[in-house]
């Protein structure tokens, strides 16, 4: 996790009773895994927001950062000059954007939970590029209007909305932004929401930049599987207490789509499962530009590509950008 963010969270949570935070986390987990109606904000008060910061902000940051890095590879040389984070809560996605594209830009975080916005503003004071960000209360749904911007991020928000509000939000993002990145939980339901958004973005004239190597229909047969990836999340000591774990890390599963109106260079293929390394060979499950899923075997006879395959990770472009296939 970003070191300034880790430090800011540690200072924020210092002195908070872990049992109090853990109780709020239990409720957040239930909402995160389920469905929350649009009239009931998940983050209701300072205790909820502190629990969210301990429980979800590090994982959200790593998932969004992973998605943004994959997107950034497809648009080399481009840097967003403005960013709107819809339903941004405490602003994890804004930290991920500044990590991916360092420097100052116009940043607006929209959320309907005032306690989340207040705490996000407090945490952002630790980052020079985020001190000027606007933290604005807004109802995320059919009535949302967005100003023109280079980049819109929507992370772990669609699960909180009705179908009509999800559609309206994606349409608003498509009408305002050059590029849109949407991240959801790496569950079958999260993937379904991402595919729904992906289809709307394509119909709005966007090109899919990542993770898909094409903008055609997803080749996964509905109901048989789902596309998702994993990000490694470092845990603080309080984070381990709150979540009842002993490991120094956890793996955050997420689904995402990055779509753009910019000229983009999607990966020729994407690794969609953990590579299987065997003696003298690596098995890669790929989603390919030919609109198909295929397993390929890379062996020592492939030379440098074999070394690249041994270093490949779940979610990587294949072959790696800059390599020769």
């Amino acid at each position: 996790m970003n070191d300034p963010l880790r430090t800011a969270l540690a200072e924020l949570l210092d002195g908070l009773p872990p049992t109090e935070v853990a109780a709020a986390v239990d409720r957040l987990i239930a909402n995160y895994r389920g469905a929350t109606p649009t009239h009931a904000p998940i983050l209701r008060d300072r205790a909820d927001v502190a629990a969210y910061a301990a429980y979800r902000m590090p994982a959200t940051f790593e998932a969004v950062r992973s998605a943004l890095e994959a997107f950034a590879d497809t648009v080399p040389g481009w840097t967003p000059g403005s960013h709107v984070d819809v339903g941004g809560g405490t602003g994890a996605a804004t930290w991920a954007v500044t990590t991916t594209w360092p420097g100052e830009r116009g940043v607006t975080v929209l959320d309907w939970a005032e306690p989340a916005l207040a705490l996000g503003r407090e945490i952002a004071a630790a980052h020079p590029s985020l001190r000027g960000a606007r933290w604005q209360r807004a109802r995320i749904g059919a009535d949302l209007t967005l100003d023109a911007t280079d980049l819109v991020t929507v992370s772990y928000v669609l699960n909180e909305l009705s179908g009509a509000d999800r559609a309206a939000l994606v349409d608003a993002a498509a009408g305002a932004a050059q590029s849109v990145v949407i991240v959801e939980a790496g569950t079958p339901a999260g993937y379904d929401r991402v595919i729904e958004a992906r289809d709307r973005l394509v119909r709005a004239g966007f090109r899919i930049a990542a993770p898909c190597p094409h903008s055609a229909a997803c080749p996964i047969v509905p109901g048989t599987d789902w596309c998702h990836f994993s990000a490694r999340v470092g845990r603080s000591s309080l984070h381990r207490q709150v979540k009842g774990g002993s490991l120094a890390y956890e793996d955050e599963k997420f689904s995402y789509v990055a779509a753009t109106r910019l000229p983009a260079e999607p990966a020729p293929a994407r690794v969609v499962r953990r590579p299987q390394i065997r003696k003298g060979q690596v098995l890669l499950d790929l989603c390919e530009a030919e609109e198909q899923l295929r397993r390929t075997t890379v062996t020592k006879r492939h030379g440098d590509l074999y070394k690249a395959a041994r270093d490949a990770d779940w979610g990587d472009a294949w072959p790696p950008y800059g390599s020769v296939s």
Side-chain angles (χ1 to χ4, degrees), residues 39-56:
H39 58 77
I42 285 181
L43 303 179
R44 302 176 302 190
D45 53 31
R46 177 81 178 193
D48 279 357
V49 175
Y52 173 82
Y55 167 57
R56 285 303 308 163

Side-chain angles (χ1 to χ4, degrees), residues 38 40-45 49 52 84-92 108-121 134-141 144 146 153-157 160-161 169:
T38 57
I42 285 181
L43 303 179
R44 302 176 302 190
D45 53 31
V49 175
Y52 173 82
V84 175
D85 187 21
V86 179
T90 53
T108 300
V109 182
L110 303 176
D111 203 279
W112 57 17
E114 183 59 41
L117 294 169
L119 187 136
R121 185 185 300 111
R134 296 171 58 233
W135 301 79
Q136 182 177 328
R137 192 172 188 185
R139 183 174 180 83
I140 310 302
L144 180 68
L146 299 175
T153 54
V154 184
S155 53
Y156 298 94
V157 172
E160 302 175 25
L161 304 178
L169 170 53

Side-chain angles (χ1 to χ4, degrees), residues 32-120:
Y32 169 67
R33 291 176 177 169
T36 302
T38 57
H39 58 77
I42 285 181
L43 303 179
R44 302 176 302 190
D45 53 31
R46 177 81 178 193
D48 279 357
V49 175
Y52 173 82
Y55 167 57
R56 285 303 308 163
M57 196 170 179
T60 300
F61 168 83
E62 293 295 354
V64 177
R65 183 192 58 80
S66 295
L68 291 173
E69 285 188 351
F71 172 49
D73 284 339
T74 73
V75 285
W78 179 76
T79 297
S82 55
H83 170 216
V84 175
D85 187 21
V86 179
T90 53
T94 67
W95 287 79
V97 169
T98 60
T99 298
T100 306
W101 296 284
E104 294 187 30
R105 59 183 51 84
V107 176
T108 300
V109 182
L110 303 176
D111 203 279
W112 57 17
E114 183 59 41
L117 294 169
L119 187 136

Side-chain angles (χ1 to χ4, degrees), residues 53-244:
Y55 167 57
R56 285 303 308 163
M57 196 170 179
T60 300
F61 168 83
E62 293 295 354
V64 177
R65 183 192 58 80
S66 295
L68 291 173
E69 285 188 351
F71 172 49
D73 284 339
T74 73
V75 285
W78 179 76
T79 297
S82 55
H83 170 216
V84 175
D85 187 21
V86 179
T90 53
T94 67
W95 287 79
V97 169
T98 60
T99 298
T100 306
W101 296 284
E104 294 187 30
R105 59 183 51 84
V107 176
T108 300
V109 182
L110 303 176
D111 203 279
W112 57 17
E114 183 59 41
L117 294 169
L119 187 136
R121 185 185 300 111
E122 182 180 329
I123 296 172
H127 197 305
S129 296
L130 293 176
R131 289 172 186 164
R134 296 171 58 233
W135 301 79
Q136 182 177 328
R137 192 172 188 185
R139 183 174 180 83
I140 310 302
D143 296 329
L144 180 68
T145 58
L146 299 175
D147 293 333
T149 186
D150 288 347
L151 174 66
V152 165
T153 54
V154 184
S155 53
Y156 298 94
V157 172
L158 299 183
N159 68 303
E160 302 175 25
L161 304 178
S162 67
D165 282 347
R166 287 198 302 270
L169 170 53
V170 173
D171 289 348
Q178 279 191 312
S179 301
V180 178
V181 177
I182 295 174
V183 180
E184 282 286 301
T187 62
Y191 162 74
D192 287 345
R193 290 188 290 269
V194 167
I195 286 297
E196 178 186 79
R198 179 188 187 276
D199 291 345
R200 296 194 76 86
L201 290 168
V202 170
R203 288 197 296 271
F206 280 72
R207 180 179 188 182
I208 303 304
C212 320
H214 58 80
S215 297
C218 178
I220 295 176
V221 177
T224 64
D225 202 352
W226 70 99
C227 182
H228 64 293
F229 304 94
S230 180
R232 179 63 52 91
V233 183
R235 287 165 140 187
S236 66
S237 58
L238 179 57
H239 194 198
R240 292 197 294 273
Q241 291 177 44
V242 166
K243 298 194 73 175

